[in-house]
Amino acid sequence: GESVGLHLPTLSVQEGDNSIINCAYSNSASDYFIWYKQESGKGPQFIIDIRSNMDKRQGQRVTVLLNKTVKHLSLQIAATQPGDSAVYFCAENISGLIWGAGTKLIIKP
Amino acid sequence: GAGVSQSPSNKVTEKGKDVELRCDPISGHTALYWYRQSLGQGLEFLIYFQGNSAPDKSGLPSDRFSAERTGGSVSTLTIQRTQQEDSAVYLCASSSAGAVGETQYFGPGTRLLVL
């Protein structure tokens, strides 16, 4: 399995603004991508997923964009709320999920 | 059950002691995963159980770590002769069929502190 040992990057966003969290993935053969949210003291929770044959998928207040050319995935959160404060992980699938290091989202009042 | 549960929620132990961490997956889920999360870091895969197949142990960091899954349901992760670097949150997840890329549902984790 994969292991990541980097300290988490942090993104600070004003409440009400849109947030964009980025993730670079490693394998061009990855066919499925997932975003998870982890609030303090809790386990990760599924947010949204996207298959490699798509370049955009929308959920409730969230949009995932996939750019296979540069192997880049982003999560956009509209009208960020205090409850969005969490660590956000992307995961790519290549014979199993490989997890990114996570980004900590901080909401400024 | 309603979700994945783990026990204990917190565990403090002394260096050199053995610890057992328990995971109850969602009822009916055949796949079960263990991960470790050190402070401020991402998820590290440890071990994966799928039905009656031999588990994927490729993520276990040393032979002090072992896991069992009895009756295809409850799993126990055992750490022998704990070291301070074992301090972390240990997360368990389950998914319904273990299909590649399938959504995993996580428990709240066990916070292990080795003094």
Side-chain angles (χ1 to χ4, degrees):
Chain A
E2 288 291 327
S3 172
V4 286
L6 302 175
H7 291 289
L8 295 176
T10 300
L11 175 66
S12 292
V13 176
Q14 201 74 36
E15 182 178 349
D17 287 352
N18 297 336
S19 303
I20 300 176
I21 301 170
N22 297 303
C23 180
Y25 62 94
S26 57
N27 198 314
S28 57
S30 295
D31 59 1
Y32 180 68
F33 305 86
I34 310 177
W35 279 100
Y36 282 83
K37 169 186 178 182
Q38 185 176 22
E39 297 175 76
S40 180
K42 299 181 180 178
Q45 292 177 292
F46 172 87
I47 302 175
I48 191 168
D49 59 3
I50 188 168
R51 298 205 173 269
S52 59
N53 61 353
M54 304 169 68
D55 53 22
K56 181 179 180 179
R57 191 166 187 215
Q58 288 186 294
Q60 186 178 16
R61 277 202 311 119
V62 295
T63 302
V64 55
L65 298 178
L66 175 63
N67 185 330
K68 294 182 286 293
T69 303
V70 295
K71 292 189 286 187
H72 184 266
L73 192 68
S74 69
L75 177 70
Q76 300 180 1
I77 305 173
T80 312
Q81 303 170 357
D84 295 328
S85 292
V87 175
Y88 290 80
F89 293 95
C90 67
E92 61 179 302
N93 179 67
I94 177 81
S95 301
L97 287 180
I98 300 172
W99 294 81
T103 297
K104 185 174 184 179
L105 179 64
I106 297 173
I107 312 304
K108 296 182 288 187
Chain B
V4 178
S5 61
Q6 292 184 245
S7 61
S9 53
N10 292 281
K11 177 70 176 179
V12 180
T13 191
E14 294 179 347
K15 178 181 173 181
K17 296 284 180 71
D18 297 351
V19 295
E20 284 190 353
L21 312 179
R22 177 187 168 106
C23 172
D24 282 88
I26 292 173
S27 178
H29 279 193
T30 61
L32 187 147
Y33 309 78
W34 281 100
Y35 294 90
R36 178 168 70 175
Q37 186 174 35
S38 299
L39 186 63
Q41 296 187 7
L43 295 174
E44 177 186 3
F45 166 77
L46 297 177
I47 189 169
Y48 163 56
F49 294 92
Q50 170 52 35
N52 296 321
S53 302
D56 176 0
K57 303 180 181 180
S58 59
L60 294 178
S62 77
D63 59 8
R64 296 186 295 105
F65 288 72
S66 62
E68 292 184 339
R69 189 177 185 194
T70 54
S73 180
V74 172
S75 177
T76 302
L77 177 70
T78 301
I79 308 173
Q80 296 178 308
R81 305 180 302 282
T82 52
Q83 304 294 312
Q84 289 181 331
E85 59 264 28
D86 298 335
S87 296
V89 176
Y90 289 82
L91 289 161
C92 174
S94 71
S95 65
S96 61
V100 171
E102 190 175 60
T103 301
Q104 297 173 27
Y105 298 88
F106 283 81
T110 293
R111 281 159 189 76
L112 175 65
L113 177 62
V114 182
L115 301 176

